[in-house]
Amino acid sequence: MTETTPVAESRTVARWESVATSDSGRGPVLVVDADPAIRRIVRLVLEGAGWRCQTAADRATAEHLVAEERPKLVLAEVDFDGRDAGKVLAERLASNGGWRPRVALMSAYPRPVGGVEDYFLRKPLEFDQLITILESIENEPGW
């Protein structure tokens, strides 16, 4: 029995590595949340669905990645550092004056009033809904 366990584990590792290194033309998507478990789960689901995905734990890193990678969607927790950082990030991206990614805020709490985000997703996330949003963005002209 111990001889089959390493084989099963190596197949699982190889499958996840192939998903994680997928070079799909879809995306990228930037996931911003202070919780590493949330970032990891969302990244794994999106990469498993064929989307390139990056993550950030703070607003400064997120803004840097938006400028460098030009993601199609930024999915950010509304309040990931105690100061409405996701909402502030959405406002900063909307006031850029030029190109900007679509922004989806996520929270277990109700949608913030007067937000400039394009989408709002309630936690726990419904991944089918997120994939539907990504596919609609992917089909928009100009991407």
Side-chain angles (χ1 to χ4, degrees), residues 18-48:
S18 69
V19 168
T21 59
S22 171
D23 194 23
S24 170
R26 299 171 76 181
V29 177
L30 175 60
V31 178
V32 187
D33 198 303
D35 186 340
I38 299 282
R39 292 192 312 267
R40 183 171 188 268
I41 290 168
V42 174
R43 181 182 57 82
L44 288 173
V45 169
L46 292 179
E47 288 176 347

mmCIF file of all heavy atoms in Angstrom, residues 18-48:
data_model
loop_
_atom_site.group_PDB
_atom_site.id
_atom_site.type_symbol
_atom_site.label_atom_id
_atom_site.label_comp_id
_atom_site.label_asym_id
_atom_site.label_seq_id
_atom_site.Cartn_x
_atom_site.Cartn_y
_atom_site.Cartn_z
ATOM 1 N N SER A 18 0.295 21.469 -13.503
ATOM 2 C CA SER A 18 -0.062 21.771 -14.886
ATOM 3 C C SER A 18 -1.153 22.828 -14.946
ATOM 4 O O SER A 18 -1.165 23.673 -15.832
ATOM 5 C CB SER A 18 -0.499 20.506 -15.635
ATOM 6 O OG SER A 18 -1.736 20.041 -15.138
ATOM 7 N N VAL A 19 -2.082 22.794 -13.976
ATOM 8 C CA VAL A 19 -3.115 23.823 -13.919
ATOM 9 C C VAL A 19 -2.493 25.166 -13.577
ATOM 10 O O VAL A 19 -2.768 26.182 -14.199
ATOM 11 C CB VAL A 19 -4.205 23.448 -12.886
ATOM 12 C CG1 VAL A 19 -5.118 24.625 -12.605
ATOM 13 C CG2 VAL A 19 -5.013 22.256 -13.379
ATOM 14 N N ALA A 20 -1.605 25.186 -12.593
ATOM 15 C CA ALA A 20 -1.012 26.436 -12.117
ATOM 16 C C ALA A 20 -0.117 27.074 -13.162
ATOM 17 O O ALA A 20 0.050 28.280 -13.178
ATOM 18 C CB ALA A 20 -0.221 26.193 -10.839
ATOM 19 N N THR A 21 0.458 26.278 -14.059
ATOM 20 C CA THR A 21 1.336 26.850 -15.072
ATOM 21 C C THR A 21 0.646 26.990 -16.422
ATOM 22 O O THR A 21 1.288 27.218 -17.423
ATOM 23 C CB THR A 21 2.606 25.986 -15.238
ATOM 24 O OG1 THR A 21 2.205 24.665 -15.614
ATOM 25 C CG2 THR A 21 3.408 25.955 -13.956
ATOM 26 N N SER A 22 -0.666 26.845 -16.434
ATOM 27 C CA SER A 22 -1.416 26.981 -17.671
ATOM 28 C C SER A 22 -1.153 28.347 -18.290
ATOM 29 O O SER A 22 -1.216 29.367 -17.628
ATOM 30 C CB SER A 22 -2.916 26.827 -17.378
ATOM 31 O OG SER A 22 -3.673 27.147 -18.506
ATOM 32 N N ASP A 23 -0.858 28.353 -19.585
ATOM 33 C CA ASP A 23 -0.564 29.608 -20.269
ATOM 34 C C ASP A 23 -1.742 29.993 -21.156
ATOM 35 O O ASP A 23 -1.580 30.291 -22.322
ATOM 36 C CB ASP A 23 0.727 29.475 -21.081
ATOM 37 C CG ASP A 23 1.252 30.825 -21.540
ATOM 38 O OD1 ASP A 23 0.905 31.828 -20.902
ATOM 39 O OD2 ASP A 23 1.975 30.861 -22.545
ATOM 40 N N SER A 24 -2.914 29.960 -20.593
ATOM 41 C CA SER A 24 -4.121 30.304 -21.317
ATOM 42 C C SER A 24 -4.090 31.774 -21.707
ATOM 43 O O SER A 24 -3.508 32.600 -21.025
ATOM 44 C CB SER A 24 -5.337 30.029 -20.436
ATOM 45 O OG SER A 24 -6.500 30.553 -21.021
ATOM 46 N N GLY A 25 -4.758 32.095 -22.781
ATOM 47 C CA GLY A 25 -4.860 33.481 -23.199
ATOM 48 C C GLY A 25 -5.975 34.216 -22.490
ATOM 49 O O GLY A 25 -6.258 35.361 -22.795
ATOM 50 N N ARG A 26 -6.634 33.566 -21.552
ATOM 51 C CA ARG A 26 -7.754 34.180 -20.861
ATOM 52 C C ARG A 26 -7.270 34.874 -19.597
ATOM 53 O O ARG A 26 -6.572 34.324 -18.791
ATOM 54 C CB ARG A 26 -8.772 33.110 -20.519
ATOM 55 C CG ARG A 26 -9.322 32.434 -21.773
ATOM 56 C CD ARG A 26 -10.145 31.243 -21.452
ATOM 57 N NE ARG A 26 -11.448 31.691 -20.961
ATOM 58 C CZ ARG A 26 -12.395 30.863 -20.566
ATOM 59 N NH1 ARG A 26 -12.179 29.572 -20.558
ATOM 60 N NH2 ARG A 26 -13.537 31.324 -20.152
ATOM 61 N N GLY A 27 -7.660 36.116 -19.463
ATOM 62 C CA GLY A 27 -7.278 36.870 -18.274
ATOM 63 C C GLY A 27 -6.206 37.875 -18.629
ATOM 64 O O GLY A 27 -6.104 38.284 -19.766
ATOM 65 N N PRO A 28 -5.411 38.273 -17.688
ATOM 66 C CA PRO A 28 -5.330 37.801 -16.316
ATOM 67 C C PRO A 28 -6.402 38.408 -15.420
ATOM 68 O O PRO A 28 -7.036 39.395 -15.764
ATOM 69 C CB PRO A 28 -3.948 38.260 -15.870
ATOM 70 C CG PRO A 28 -3.658 39.457 -16.686
ATOM 71 C CD PRO A 28 -4.352 39.234 -17.996
ATOM 72 N N VAL A 29 -6.550 37.776 -14.270
ATOM 73 C CA VAL A 29 -7.443 38.225 -13.212
ATOM 74 C C VAL A 29 -6.577 38.483 -11.993
ATOM 75 O O VAL A 29 -5.657 37.715 -11.710
ATOM 76 C CB VAL A 29 -8.499 37.143 -12.891
ATOM 77 C CG1 VAL A 29 -9.387 37.579 -11.744
ATOM 78 C CG2 VAL A 29 -9.316 36.800 -14.124
ATOM 79 N N LEU A 30 -6.854 39.558 -11.289
ATOM 80 C CA LEU A 30 -6.121 39.878 -10.064
ATOM 81 C C LEU A 30 -7.066 39.726 -8.877
ATOM 82 O O LEU A 30 -8.125 40.354 -8.848
ATOM 83 C CB LEU A 30 -5.572 41.305 -10.117
ATOM 84 C CG LEU A 30 -4.880 41.819 -8.855
ATOM 85 C CD1 LEU A 30 -3.674 40.953 -8.482
ATOM 86 C CD2 LEU A 30 -4.463 43.273 -9.040
ATOM 87 N N VAL A 31 -6.685 38.880 -7.925
ATOM 88 C CA VAL A 31 -7.473 38.657 -6.715
ATOM 89 C C VAL A 31 -6.764 39.354 -5.559
ATOM 90 O O VAL A 31 -5.597 39.090 -5.298
ATOM 91 C CB VAL A 31 -7.615 37.142 -6.420
ATOM 92 C CG1 VAL A 31 -8.402 36.932 -5.132
ATOM 93 C CG2 VAL A 31 -8.278 36.433 -7.593
ATOM 94 N N VAL A 32 -7.495 40.233 -4.867
ATOM 95 C CA VAL A 32 -6.918 41.019 -3.778
ATOM 96 C C VAL A 32 -7.694 40.732 -2.495
ATOM 97 O O VAL A 32 -8.883 41.033 -2.398
ATOM 98 C CB VAL A 32 -6.964 42.528 -4.084
ATOM 99 C CG1 VAL A 32 -6.210 43.310 -3.030
ATOM 100 C CG2 VAL A 32 -6.443 42.835 -5.480
ATOM 101 N N ASP A 33 -6.997 40.131 -1.546
ATOM 102 C CA ASP A 33 -7.614 39.819 -0.252
ATOM 103 C C ASP A 33 -6.490 39.597 0.743
ATOM 104 O O ASP A 33 -5.455 39.030 0.396
ATOM 105 C CB ASP A 33 -8.479 38.559 -0.367
ATOM 106 C CG ASP A 33 -9.478 38.429 0.766
ATOM 107 O OD1 ASP A 33 -9.048 38.414 1.950
ATOM 108 O OD2 ASP A 33 -10.680 38.328 0.492
ATOM 109 N N ALA A 34 -6.682 40.033 1.965
ATOM 110 C CA ALA A 34 -5.657 39.851 2.996
ATOM 111 C C ALA A 34 -5.545 38.398 3.432
ATOM 112 O O ALA A 34 -4.501 37.971 3.913
ATOM 113 C CB ALA A 34 -5.972 40.729 4.204
ATOM 114 N N ASP A 35 -6.595 37.627 3.252
ATOM 115 C CA ASP A 35 -6.614 36.230 3.684
ATOM 116 C C ASP A 35 -5.949 35.338 2.635
ATOM 117 O O ASP A 35 -6.467 35.201 1.521
ATOM 118 C CB ASP A 35 -8.065 35.796 3.910
ATOM 119 C CG ASP A 35 -8.193 34.406 4.491
ATOM 120 O OD1 ASP A 35 -7.234 33.601 4.379
ATOM 121 O OD2 ASP A 35 -9.266 34.107 5.051
ATOM 122 N N PRO A 36 -4.807 34.728 2.973
ATOM 123 C CA PRO A 36 -4.116 33.895 1.988
ATOM 124 C C PRO A 36 -4.942 32.689 1.535
ATOM 125 O O PRO A 36 -4.816 32.251 0.395
ATOM 126 C CB PRO A 36 -2.835 33.459 2.705
ATOM 127 C CG PRO A 36 -3.060 33.717 4.143
ATOM 128 C CD PRO A 36 -4.105 34.784 4.253
ATOM 129 N N ALA A 37 -5.812 32.175 2.395
ATOM 130 C CA ALA A 37 -6.645 31.034 2.004
ATOM 131 C C ALA A 37 -7.636 31.440 0.911
ATOM 132 O O ALA A 37 -7.844 30.697 -0.050
ATOM 133 C CB ALA A 37 -7.377 30.474 3.218
ATOM 134 N N ILE A 38 -8.235 32.614 1.045
ATOM 135 C CA ILE A 38 -9.166 33.113 0.016
ATOM 136 C C ILE A 38 -8.419 33.292 -1.298
ATOM 137 O O ILE A 38 -8.882 32.855 -2.354
ATOM 138 C CB ILE A 38 -9.811 34.453 0.443
ATOM 139 C CG1 ILE A 38 -10.600 34.291 1.727
ATOM 140 C CG2 ILE A 38 -10.644 35.045 -0.694
ATOM 141 C CD1 ILE A 38 -11.953 33.663 1.586
ATOM 142 N N ARG A 39 -7.256 33.945 -1.244
ATOM 143 C CA ARG A 39 -6.478 34.157 -2.473
ATOM 144 C C ARG A 39 -6.153 32.830 -3.142
ATOM 145 O O ARG A 39 -6.282 32.685 -4.356
ATOM 146 C CB ARG A 39 -5.186 34.920 -2.170
ATOM 147 C CG ARG A 39 -5.393 36.356 -1.737
ATOM 148 C CD ARG A 39 -4.108 37.157 -1.724
ATOM 149 N NE ARG A 39 -2.987 36.529 -1.061
ATOM 150 C CZ ARG A 39 -2.656 36.714 0.219
ATOM 151 N NH1 ARG A 39 -3.400 37.510 0.981
ATOM 152 N NH2 ARG A 39 -1.599 36.113 0.742
ATOM 153 N N ARG A 40 -5.726 31.860 -2.358
ATOM 154 C CA ARG A 40 -5.315 30.574 -2.919
ATOM 155 C C ARG A 40 -6.498 29.824 -3.528
ATOM 156 O O ARG A 40 -6.405 29.304 -4.646
ATOM 157 C CB ARG A 40 -4.665 29.717 -1.838
ATOM 158 C CG ARG A 40 -4.147 28.400 -2.361
ATOM 159 C CD ARG A 40 -3.317 27.681 -1.290
ATOM 160 N NE ARG A 40 -2.667 26.531 -1.845
ATOM 161 C CZ ARG A 40 -3.181 25.313 -1.833
ATOM 162 N NH1 ARG A 40 -4.355 25.101 -1.273
ATOM 163 N NH2 ARG A 40 -2.526 24.301 -2.356
ATOM 164 N N ILE A 41 -7.606 29.777 -2.821
ATOM 165 C CA ILE A 41 -8.776 29.047 -3.331
ATOM 166 C C ILE A 41 -9.291 29.679 -4.620
ATOM 167 O O ILE A 41 -9.550 28.988 -5.605
ATOM 168 C CB ILE A 41 -9.885 28.978 -2.262
ATOM 169 C CG1 ILE A 41 -9.445 28.052 -1.126
ATOM 170 C CG2 ILE A 41 -11.210 28.513 -2.860
ATOM 171 C CD1 ILE A 41 -10.315 28.127 0.107
ATOM 172 N N VAL A 42 -9.452 30.987 -4.622
ATOM 173 C CA VAL A 42 -9.959 31.655 -5.825
ATOM 174 C C VAL A 42 -8.978 31.461 -6.984
ATOM 175 O O VAL A 42 -9.386 31.168 -8.108
ATOM 176 C CB VAL A 42 -10.241 33.150 -5.560
ATOM 177 C CG1 VAL A 42 -10.635 33.867 -6.834
ATOM 178 C CG2 VAL A 42 -11.333 33.309 -4.503
ATOM 179 N N ARG A 43 -7.687 31.596 -6.719
ATOM 180 C CA ARG A 43 -6.687 31.394 -7.773
ATOM 181 C C ARG A 43 -6.767 29.985 -8.339
ATOM 182 O O ARG A 43 -6.774 29.794 -9.553
ATOM 183 C CB ARG A 43 -5.281 31.671 -7.249
ATOM 184 C CG ARG A 43 -4.192 31.494 -8.324
ATOM 185 C CD ARG A 43 -2.800 31.729 -7.761
ATOM 186 N NE ARG A 43 -2.473 30.870 -6.645
ATOM 187 C CZ ARG A 43 -2.029 29.606 -6.761
ATOM 188 N NH1 ARG A 43 -1.875 29.066 -7.937
ATOM 189 N NH2 ARG A 43 -1.746 28.907 -5.679
ATOM 190 N N LEU A 44 -6.840 28.977 -7.472
ATOM 191 C CA LEU A 44 -6.905 27.592 -7.941
ATOM 192 C C LEU A 44 -8.156 27.328 -8.777
ATOM 193 O O LEU A 44 -8.095 26.664 -9.814
ATOM 194 C CB LEU A 44 -6.832 26.622 -6.764
ATOM 195 C CG LEU A 44 -5.466 26.499 -6.096
ATOM 196 C CD1 LEU A 44 -5.568 25.642 -4.830
ATOM 197 C CD2 LEU A 44 -4.436 25.927 -7.047
ATOM 198 N N VAL A 45 -9.294 27.868 -8.349
ATOM 199 C CA VAL A 45 -10.531 27.680 -9.107
ATOM 200 C C VAL A 45 -10.424 28.357 -10.469
ATOM 201 O O VAL A 45 -10.754 27.759 -11.502
ATOM 202 C CB VAL A 45 -11.748 28.208 -8.318
ATOM 203 C CG1 VAL A 45 -12.987 28.271 -9.202
ATOM 204 C CG2 VAL A 45 -12.012 27.342 -7.099
ATOM 205 N N LEU A 46 -9.936 29.592 -10.492
ATOM 206 C CA LEU A 46 -9.842 30.308 -11.768
ATOM 207 C C LEU A 46 -8.828 29.666 -12.701
ATOM 208 O O LEU A 46 -9.096 29.517 -13.900
ATOM 209 C CB LEU A 46 -9.503 31.780 -11.528
ATOM 210 C CG LEU A 46 -10.601 32.596 -10.848
ATOM 211 C CD1 LEU A 46 -10.138 34.029 -10.632
ATOM 212 C CD2 LEU A 46 -11.891 32.547 -11.648
ATOM 213 N N GLU A 47 -7.683 29.283 -12.176
ATOM 214 C CA GLU A 47 -6.691 28.620 -13.021
ATOM 215 C C GLU A 47 -7.214 27.278 -13.519
ATOM 216 O O GLU A 47 -6.966 26.893 -14.659
ATOM 217 C CB GLU A 47 -5.369 28.463 -12.284
ATOM 218 C CG GLU A 47 -4.645 29.781 -12.134
ATOM 219 C CD GLU A 47 -3.364 29.684 -11.329
ATOM 220 O OE1 GLU A 47 -3.127 28.650 -10.653
ATOM 221 O OE2 GLU A 47 -2.582 30.655 -11.372
ATOM 222 N N GLY A 48 -7.957 26.574 -12.690
ATOM 223 C CA GLY A 48 -8.566 25.317 -13.118
ATOM 224 C C GLY A 48 -9.575 25.518 -14.232
ATOM 225 O O GLY A 48 -9.797 24.625 -15.043
#
